[in-house]
Amino acid sequence: DAGVIQSPRHEVTEMGQEVTLRCKPISGHNSLFWYRQTMMRGLELLIYFNNNVPIDDSGMPEDRFSAKMPNASFSTLKIQPSEPRDSAVYFCASSLQTDTQYFGPGTRLTVL
Amino acid sequence: AQSVTQLGSHVSVSEGALVLLRCNYSSSVPPYLFWYVQYPNQGLQLLLKYTSAATLVKGINGFEAEFKKSETSFHLTKPSAHMSDAAEYFCAVSESGGSNYKLTFGKGTLLTVNP
């Protein structure tokens, strides 16, 4: 299996621009998670989906952040408008029910 | 609510020495506990997990961890450190049973291995 795939691996953008991060979970997994990692706050869960339905988005920082999962093999995390404080590494992870979460390689976002 | 505390943000050991990374948790229900490792510029990789079976859990790369309910601890150990063990290690907790799939992570411990 190819594992969790994320794109792009690196993104540099200017403040105010829209950013879209993409994730393809492991085939057959029915739970998908978006995390953000920063030096200051560590690893934070932003949102997770089960069977393509958002279950808990309490970690989403504010309305500028949105996430979708239109089907079992694809999810997006969108930031609009982006701000410098959004600079972080964003990870996607997938799992089968409550089993182990498998992480993607991450997207390093820099907002200038 | 659940939480994880990793004591020591940075641990340095010599090659061949014992590795001990500390993790204490708080959970209102019996927990599932995990250790993940993150190598530079990579995602997190599962080392081992405790899901209410044996309290001593063996993982990959010679690591193991012991669940101690009385101490609410899940410390990670390895008898002899290798240079390749240098990485950041994260302890995580989730609630057992039900439909709560959320993992709560500690802040991480950076392990340095000196030659």
Side-chain angles (χ1 to χ4, degrees), chain B residues 35-100:
Chain B
W35 275 100
Y36 281 84
V37 61
Q38 184 179 28
Y39 298 102
N41 299 314
Q42 295 187 25
L44 278 70
Q45 177 184 357
L46 181 72
L47 271 179
L48 50 80
K49 63 180 179 181
Y50 166 78
T51 56
S52 74
T55 57
L56 182 62
V57 181
K58 294 186 183 299
I60 62 172
N61 301 337
F63 284 94
E64 63 181 34
E66 185 172 8
F67 172 67
K68 292 187 176 181
K69 183 179 179 180
S70 61
E71 298 177 9
T72 61
S73 69
F74 190 58
H75 301 332
L76 181 70
T77 61
K78 181 174 180 177
S80 177
H82 294 170
M83 296 296 291
S84 60
D85 295 327
E88 190 154 22
Y89 292 79
F90 293 90
C91 182
V93 62
S94 72
E95 295 181 3
S96 61
S99 60
N100 187 341

Side-chain angles (χ1 to χ4, degrees), chain A residues 9 31 33 35 37 41 43 45 48 50 56 91 97-101 103-104, chain B residues 32 34 36 38 41-44 46 49 90 98-103 105 107:
Chain A
R9 291 294 309 276
S31 295
F33 307 80
Y35 292 89
Q37 185 178 38
R41 300 175 67 90
L43 201 59
L45 176 65
Y48 77 91
N50 184 240
D56 185 344
F91 289 103
Q97 294 296 102
T98 58
D99 207 338
T100 303
Q101 292 185 23
F103 283 73
Chain B
Y32 288 165
F34 304 79
Y36 281 84
Q38 184 179 28
N41 299 314
Q42 295 187 25
L44 278 70
L46 181 72
K49 63 180 179 181
F90 293 90
S99 60
N100 187 341
Y101 307 140
K102 292 174 63 171
L103 278 178
F105 284 88
K107 295 289 188 184

Side-chain angles (χ1 to χ4, degrees), chain A residues 56-83:
Chain A
D56 185 344
D57 65 355
S58 60
M60 296 286 263
E62 48 197 273
D63 291 345
R64 297 185 297 106
F65 286 68
S66 63
K68 294 182 180 180
M69 192 165 186
N71 56 62
S73 59
F74 184 65
S75 177
T76 59
L77 177 68
K78 186 175 294 187
I79 308 172
Q80 166 64 16
S82 58
E83 297 182 2

